[in-house]
Amino acid sequence: RSGKWWHALLEVHAMRQAACVPIDSIELNCFLAALASCAKGEMFGAIRTRDHKIFNLAKEIWIESERRDLISLVCAPKLCSTLHIPESLEWAEQLWAWGGAVPL
């Protein structure tokens, strides 16, 4: 399952940042979906020890990306629903409010 490539995802993210490569909406959406997958265990269940790291990475890349679309607005709250930390619910609610106020 996807938990296998958690370290590879972190490596790619670090390389992109080091090279100062901007992130567009497609990359943002893929990264958010990949983070949600990395919250899942190899077979069943979730890897709760990653929740805070995943949440922080998701917010970081959301802020970094200036190009968001409707899919981004679906991917981010979906990611939040996989995490078991109160901050993820708060952020999902902020995203919901933002989505209603900003034309995409």
Side-chain angles (χ1 to χ4, degrees):
R1 284 216 30 172
S2 51
K4 291 181 182 180
W5 44 276
W6 166 245
H7 297 292
L9 181 64
L10 295 179
E11 245 181 81
V12 169
H13 177 61
M15 289 189 307
R16 187 194 56 75
Q17 282 186 316
C20 298
V21 175
I23 188 161
D24 65 17
S25 62
I26 294 171
E27 292 163 352
L28 172 65
N29 302 339
C30 291
F31 190 78
L32 292 172
L35 284 174
S37 293
C38 284
K40 300 174 186 170
E42 296 295 324
M43 295 290 287
F44 302 102
I47 304 171
R48 293 290 152 232
T49 56
R50 293 182 182 166
D51 281 358
H52 285 283
K53 179 76 171 171
I54 289 171
F55 176 75
N56 291 333
L57 281 171
K59 281 196 77 169
E60 174 187 320
I61 204 155
W62 180 272
I63 292 166
E64 184 181 330
S65 174
E66 294 180 8
R67 302 186 71 186
R68 302 175 195 109
D69 58 19
L70 186 57
I71 297 170
S72 308
L73 197 55
V74 172
C75 288
K78 183 178 178 184
L79 166 65
C80 290
S81 72
T82 66
L83 306 176
H84 288 251
I85 55 174
E87 299 90 355
S88 65
L89 176 60
E90 293 169 15
W91 189 42
E93 289 173 346
Q94 291 171 2
L95 293 170
W96 186 258
W98 175 82
V102 177
L104 297 174

